[in-house]
Amino acid sequence: MSVVQAQGLGLTFNTNDGPVHALSNVNLTIEKGEFVSFIGPSGCGKTTFLRVIADLEQPTDGTITVNGLSPREAREARGYGYVFQAAGLFPWRTIERNVALPLEIMGYPKVEIAQRIARTLDLVNLKGFEKKFPWQLSGGMQQRASIARALAFDADLLLMDEPFGALDEIVRDHLNEQLLQLWDRTNKTICFVTHSIPEAVYLSTKIVVMSPRPGRVTDVIESTLPKERPLDIRESPEFLAIAARVRDGLRAGHSYDD
Amino acid sequence: MSGLRVSWQGGLAALLALAALLMLPIAEPSAGGPSVTAAILLLVALAIAVDAAPAGTMVRAAALLVGAHAGVYLLLGDLGSVNGAARGAFYLLLVSCWLLAWRLVSVLSSIRAASRTGEVALRLVIPFLFGVWILVLWEAIVRGAGIPFVLLPPPSAIAARIGNSLPILAADVNQTIFKAVLVGYVMGCGAGFLAAIAADRFVFMRRGLLPVGNMVSALPIIGVAPIMVMWFGFDWQSKAAVVVIMTFFPMLVNTGAGLAASGHMERDLMRTYASGYWQTLFKLRLPAAMPFIFNALKINSTLALIGAIVAEFFGTPVVGMGFRISTEVGRMNVDMVWAEIAVAALAGSVFYGVIALLERAVTFWHPSIRGG
């Protein structure tokens, strides 16, 4: 069974300046265990698509299923974890209480909450920072804590909306590497929105190239890179070939405009 | 080794003291006589000299402290019990002492405290000196110029009145603060808070209550005090009712704004967890609203005091701060009025301070408190 299946998906926002076609005729299937990146310029609907999967926006056309359910049912079954652009940690809670937040809401028993906090903070290398408050941590650490929060409960699908967009290049490389390891260890399905071509190519098994006005998919690239990916794979000819294809796809989308 | 460094306050104080020397005596009649005059001039001169000398900061501060305060103490003593006895030299020396105190505060402000206790002590001492000098100048001008007692009594008379009337003041505080203000405050703030939650939860409440509340808030609420007296009787209950009405609306509006203060992303996050209304309320929206709620609690702490005191002007048993103020002013006992005002100011400050401390403990995470 596919994790996400979209058919003829469209979403039109009615604004004061007339309708905005955020998504139009999107057909996409995401299989279990895939790492799918969505790349495209601002306004291409990549975040909107992620939000439709998460039932934070309702489509106006077509159908979409998440884990075989409607997005609403999938959300109510706590079928996915969502990582936002900013860490969004609650400043009045320590790091461990932030990670515990979804577990408290979902009614996990106390003992299990403690175990899961320890396990997920270990997974994102934040051991020893349990009692710190978010504002005592760097931006990269905050974002790792927010990933831990999304991993704390057992959702097989992880939706990530430009999670590293606000971080500097060095921290970003480091977190990309860690994210790949984490994906390898947990065997989750990851949907990852990004602006960055190298990030998309480095991380993904599948790259979805999108273009704006109306937001649509222009190319779907299956990556031929091996699962084991050291950072210097980014200089290999294979990597550069995929990156070139992504860039072509983006350019094709842009020529539509001007 | 640097030589003499005269500060501008020190230099000006010296000039004024010299001018005073030419315009002696200090008061007519002088209670202390020439020996006291000489002592004042000596103290002032000594403080100026030590401050200008290359001495340590603490030595200079000590000299200024003694010079300014012993000087002004003797100066006030020289007036004796005759009001309006002061002559030009009195004011010149008063300003001279005040400049030394000013210099003392600026010397203290420049100290970098080595320890935490030192820092706290400095933070308390500087405003304390400032406050003391407001009282000193008030006392000196009122007594020196012989301002009529009913217009403005000197602080020393107010302090004496407070000291002599402690049982009456205690009974008034008990009646007004511990009954009317506290009960009204808790009920008014609590009701405003619950109404804000209800308005948030139910659309008809939001559409109906908030506009009406806006209108009610525009009413001159103190005008309803006589009606409250008719409804709830002469005792503290009617004053508490006025306080309830006064504190309800600020709490309603601030809590409402606070509930809207949590970010879209945080609310989306709660939605992805399929969190219910009450879970989102308790885990996200109320904590995020706390800075707003404490704002209302602080505003209301002063409003409650005003409301209870003024409400007592409209009928009350023979006890209470507002009752005392309105009757004693009619009997020209203005020192008692001032004593009640001083006690009210003190009570209000303590009330406000307790809430501010509570705020620091609850909203420790807010940038305005953690600083950054």
Side-chain angles (χ1 to χ4, degrees), chain B residues 172-246:
Chain B
D172 290 348
V173 165
N174 184 42
Q175 170 78 8
T176 305
I177 309 257
F178 290 109
K179 289 177 183 164
V181 169
L182 277 189
V183 172
Y185 182 81
V186 169
M187 285 173 65
C189 290
F193 178 78
L194 292 177
I197 304 271
D200 182 73
R201 186 77 186 96
F202 306 109
V203 180
F204 79 93
M205 286 286 281
R206 182 159 57 244
R207 298 261 170 83
L209 179 71
L210 289 187
V212 172
N214 268 310
M215 212 181 71
V216 170
S217 78
L219 294 176
I221 286 169
I222 211 64
V224 303
I227 297 169
M228 291 302 120
V229 171
M230 286 204 277
W231 285 4
F232 298 105
F234 275 98
D235 210 349
W236 62 269
Q237 288 88 346
S238 57
K239 284 70 194 174
V242 172
V243 174
V244 167
I245 297 173
M246 282 189 90

Side-chain angles (χ1 to χ4, degrees), chain B:
Chain B
M1 227 9 229
S2 57
L4 289 184
R5 285 233 314 266
V6 182
S7 63
W8 71 264
Q9 291 103 333
L12 195 54
L15 279 179
L16 291 172
L18 280 178
L21 197 57
L22 301 175
M23 294 172 64
L24 289 174
I26 289 172
E28 194 70 66
S30 165
S35 58
V36 171
T37 308
I40 296 170
L41 287 167
L42 201 63
L43 277 164
V44 170
L46 209 61
I48 296 168
V50 174
D51 178 47
T57 311
M58 292 315 283
V59 176
R60 281 168 31 213
L64 286 166
L65 182 74
V66 172
H69 296 89
V72 85
Y73 178 78
L74 291 176
L75 196 60
L76 285 171
D78 202 40
L79 284 178
S81 55
V82 184
N83 279 333
R87 301 202 24 204
F90 175 83
Y91 297 106
L92 290 173
L93 284 171
L94 177 67
V95 174
S96 179
C97 287
W98 178 55
L99 284 167
L100 291 181
W102 185 341
R103 174 71 188 148
L104 169 63
V105 168
S106 59
V107 167
L108 288 177
S109 301
S110 70
I111 294 178
R112 291 263 165 276
S115 65
R116 246 195 94 61
T117 40
E119 198 183 323
V120 171
L122 269 181
R123 236 179 27 216
L124 292 177
V125 162
I126 292 171
F128 177 75
L129 283 176
F130 219 95
V132 163
W133 272 88
I134 291 174
L135 294 180
V136 164
L137 292 176
W138 174 356
E139 176 88 19
I141 292 168
V142 166
R143 277 178 52 197
I147 292 173
F149 195 79
V150 284
L151 284 188
L152 190 62
S156 57
I158 297 169
R161 170 57 74 183
I162 292 176
N164 292 336
S165 319
L166 282 179
I168 294 178
L169 289 169
D172 290 348
V173 165
N174 184 42
Q175 170 78 8
T176 305
I177 309 257
F178 290 109
K179 289 177 183 164
V181 169
L182 277 189
V183 172
Y185 182 81
V186 169
M187 285 173 65
C189 290
F193 178 78
L194 292 177
I197 304 271
D200 182 73
R201 186 77 186 96
F202 306 109
V203 180
F204 79 93
M205 286 286 281
R206 182 159 57 244
R207 298 261 170 83
L209 179 71
L210 289 187
V212 172
N214 268 310
M215 212 181 71
V216 170
S217 78
L219 294 176
I221 286 169
I222 211 64
V224 303
I227 297 169
M228 291 302 120
V229 171
M230 286 204 277
W231 285 4
F232 298 105
F234 275 98
D235 210 349
W236 62 269
Q237 288 88 346
S238 57
K239 284 70 194 174
V242 172
V243 174
V244 167
I245 297 173
M246 282 189 90
T247 54
F248 175 82
F249 194 73
M251 187 49 117
L252 173 66
V253 172
N254 275 286
T255 308
L259 288 175
S262 55
H264 281 294
M265 201 181 70
E266 283 78 7
R267 276 189 258 184
D268 278 347
L269 180 74
M270 296 304 269
R271 200 170 138 80
T272 69
Y273 300 147
S275 165
Y277 174 83
W278 295 106
Q279 280 180 319
T280 305
L281 184 71
F282 283 114
K283 292 196 189 295
L284 168 64
R285 299 176 67 208
L286 278 183
M290 278 305 158
F292 291 81
I293 291 171
F294 271 101
N295 223 355
L297 287 174
K298 288 196 288 191
I299 295 168
N300 281 346
S301 73
T302 44
L303 276 183
L305 206 60
I306 297 170
I309 289 176
V310 177
E312 285 182 3
F313 290 3
F314 298 94
T316 170
V318 291
V319 64
M321 302 174 85
F323 161 79
R324 197 75 56 204
I325 289 172
S326 62
T327 50
E328 296 297 328
V329 82
R331 294 158 63 182
M332 296 293 228
N333 288 333
V334 277
D335 52 344
M336 191 63 192
V337 175
W338 280 98
E340 290 283 358
I341 290 171
V343 170
L346 182 69
S349 305
V350 170
F351 196 4
Y352 190 93
V354 167
I355 290 162
L357 280 179
L358 214 60
E359 180 185 30
R360 290 188 75 84
V362 172
T363 61
F364 64 93
W365 50 270
H366 195 261
S368 68
I369 290 185
R370 68 179 152 88

